Amino acid sequence: MASVSSIEELIDSLRQLPGIGPKAAQRMAYQLLTSDKETASRLGNALLNAVKNVKRCPRCNNLTDKDVCKYCSSIHRDDSLLCVVETVADMMVIEQSLSWNGRYFILMGRLSPLNGIGPNELELGHLIDRASEPEVKEVVIATSFTAEGEATALAITELLAKHTPHVKVTRIAKGIPAGAELEYTDVNTVAQAMLNRRIRENN
Amino acid sequence: MASVSSIEELIDSLRQLPGIGPKAAQRMAYQLLTSDKETASRLGNALLNAVKNVKRCPRCNNLTDKDVCKYCSSIHRDDSLLCVVETVADMMVIEQSLSWNGRYFILMGRLSPLNGIGPNELELGHLIDRASEPEVKEVVIATSFTAEGEATALAITELLAKHTPHVKVTRIAKGIPAGAELEYTDVNTVAQAMLNRRIRENN
């Protein structure tokens, strides 16, 4: 550290951010130090505060600076519904879709044997405990529709069938994305959309 | 601040970085807090240290945490050569080209009347003082080949001709970029390359 200047250390640290290459890190550092020292101080403090204060919610694994996260502690959410997602980012996109008013459970990853992530690396035991709470009536599995996400969904389905047979287990729908044209949608997705067709209701 | 969580404040601060939108800021924040708290601490400290320690070099305007920057204080550089650039980033790219062993002077911008940057906003007085030092024999103007960069180069040429007539003033070459095909090069650049043609030497 003694021979590395503050600027080089800043550029090097910025490069560790996901998606930031050497050129972008350099540009950011120069802009922050040339015309935007206030932003630099604010971001520096925000990072150190977040590292100090943010921890995992003990009920759902969400990031929070409270004892229990806002989704688990809210009194306006339905305790009978539990949505299982892979990551905090997945949970956020569901929140932003305004389509869910139940609770969440974050697996912190998905099954990925090639990367050494088996059932023991995920929070599956924690999930079974959570799904076993008496008020839970339905668990919605919202893992991704990738090979690994599907394998994770299957493993969860089997685990829940064994440990909490009274709980209904559902999977979010696979189908044509909103705004997509059939002609340009891949045949696998079209086949799934045909198989999963639903009776059209008047609403 | 009281009602904003550490995570929201972090995402908001990351969004202030150049080129970072809301999605990227969210992804960065979650990755830093989920799997990379060490990087978050390091970057936080690097930012605060840089804000505290980094200042302008009084000779060339470069960013430095020393009294005088490493290019101005190096004893291996040629004092008779002074290269004028717009920004720290421009200076860095010349350094990385390994083509310059003189000193630098950073204007901190370029003439841009539409943005309210006239001769008084640039460090032109400072540049004349620097170019007036007796050891300076040549000033190379390395502003960009944009309209604003060219106007800045012209203004500097006129100022130096008036205040330091004994100093040779040169401009970096305009021409075909390395690796470019003539067929796809714009005619303005080709015309300049023809006009600026040089006698081919045997090396």
Side-chain angles (χ1 to χ4, degrees):
Chain A
M1 276 292 294
S3 66
V4 176
S5 79
S6 312
I7 305 160
E8 284 158 0
E9 166 64 11
L10 175 58
I11 294 174
D12 226 49
S13 306
L14 285 166
R15 280 195 59 181
Q16 310 302 316
L17 291 174
I20 302 299
K23 273 270 180 186
Q26 220 177 59
R27 205 181 62 227
M28 280 178 182
Y30 293 143
Q31 170 160 343
L32 287 171
L33 295 174
T34 311
S35 54
D36 227 357
K37 282 202 170 184
E38 205 175 310
T39 297
S41 303
R42 186 183 159 198
L43 177 55
N45 287 317
L47 283 158
L48 298 181
N49 275 337
V51 167
K52 198 176 69 189
N53 298 330
V54 173
K55 49 196 180 304
R56 290 280 170 184
C57 171
R59 283 182 67 70
C60 74
N61 291 323
N62 188 15
L63 297 169
T64 180
D65 45 12
K66 305 256 166 52
D67 286 338
V68 173
C69 85
K70 63 178 175 182
Y71 303 120
C72 287
S73 58
S74 162
I75 54 167
H76 301 293
R77 287 180 173 257
D78 188 340
D79 277 326
S80 70
L81 300 171
L82 186 64
C83 177
V84 180
V85 293
E86 294 173 10
T87 64
V88 178
D90 292 345
M91 187 198 70
M92 287 310 300
V93 81
I94 293 175
E95 271 304 297
Q96 285 158 14
S97 77
L98 303 176
S99 60
W100 183 247
N101 195 35
R103 308 288 179 182
Y104 290 99
F105 185 87
I106 300 169
L107 292 169
M108 321 237 298
R110 48 182 144 182
L111 291 179
S112 178
L114 289 177
N115 297 316
I117 299 178
N120 297 330
E121 275 67 45
L122 296 184
E123 297 264 311
L124 294 181
H126 188 176
L127 170 59
I128 291 166
D129 293 345
R130 182 68 181 83
S132 304
E133 292 182 15
E135 64 275 17
V136 177
K137 302 277 179 278
E138 177 178 352
V139 173
V140 181
I141 305 178
T143 56
S144 293
F145 284 99
T146 57
E148 294 174 344
E150 293 276 31
T152 310
L154 184 64
I156 292 171
T157 308
E158 286 173 355
L159 269 176
L160 292 177
K162 191 166 133 200
H163 292 93
T164 57
H166 60 285
V167 170
K168 181 161 78 170
V169 178
T170 56
R171 179 89 168 102
I172 54 169
K174 186 192 267 179
I176 318 281
E181 301 196 53
L182 274 187
E183 181 181 354
Y184 301 111
T185 306
D186 70 296
V187 289
N188 186 347
T189 301
V190 174
Q192 289 285 343
M194 289 299 286
L195 290 169
N196 294 336
R197 65 189 178 277
R198 296 177 56 180
I199 293 169
R200 181 73 180 269
E201 280 157 34
N202 284 331
N203 53 27
Chain B
M1 276 290 296
S3 65
V4 176
S5 80
S6 311
I7 306 160
E8 284 158 0
E9 166 65 10
L10 176 58
I11 293 174
D12 225 50
S13 305
L14 284 166
R15 281 195 59 180
Q16 309 302 316
L17 291 173
I20 302 299
K23 273 271 180 186
Q26 219 176 59
R27 205 181 64 228
M28 281 180 182
Y30 292 144
Q31 169 160 339
L32 287 171
L33 295 175
T34 311
S35 53
D36 227 357
K37 282 203 171 184
E38 206 174 310
T39 297
S41 304
R42 186 182 159 200
L43 177 55
N45 286 316
L47 283 159
L48 298 182
N49 274 336
V51 167
K52 198 176 67 188
N53 297 329
V54 173
K55 50 196 179 306
R56 291 279 170 185
C57 171
R59 282 182 68 70
C60 75
N61 291 324
N62 187 15
L63 297 168
T64 181
D65 45 12
K66 306 257 167 51
D67 286 337
V68 173
C69 86
K70 64 179 175 181
Y71 303 119
C72 288
S73 58
S74 162
I75 54 166
H76 302 294
R77 288 182 172 256
D78 188 339
D79 277 327
S80 70
L81 299 171
L82 186 64
C83 177
V84 180
V85 294
E86 293 172 11
T87 64
V88 178
D90 292 345
M91 188 198 69
M92 289 308 301
V93 82
I94 293 175
E95 271 305 296
Q96 285 158 14
S97 77
L98 303 177
S99 61
W100 183 247
N101 194 35
R103 309 289 179 182
Y104 289 98
F105 185 87
I106 299 169
L107 292 170
M108 321 234 301
R110 48 182 143 183
L111 291 179
S112 178
L114 288 178
N115 297 315
I117 300 178
N120 297 331
E121 275 67 45
L122 297 183
E123 296 263 311
L124 295 181
H126 189 176
L127 169 60
I128 291 166
D129 292 346
R130 181 72 182 80
S132 304
E133 292 181 16
E135 64 276 16
V136 178
K137 301 275 178 281
E138 177 178 352
V139 172
V140 181
I141 304 178
T143 56
S144 294
F145 284 99
T146 57
E148 294 173 346
E150 294 276 31
T152 310
L154 184 64
I156 293 171
T157 308
E158 285 174 354
L159 269 175
L160 293 177
K162 189 166 136 199
H163 290 92
T164 58
H166 59 288
V167 170
K168 182 161 77 171
V169 178
T170 56
R171 180 87 169 103
I172 54 169
K174 187 190 267 181
I176 317 282
E181 300 196 53
L182 274 187
E183 181 181 354
Y184 301 112
T185 307
D186 68 295
V187 288
N188 185 347
T189 302
V190 174
Q192 290 284 344
M194 290 299 285
L195 291 170
N196 295 337
R197 64 190 179 277
R198 296 178 54 181
I199 293 168
R200 183 73 180 268
E201 282 156 32
N202 284 328
N203 54 26

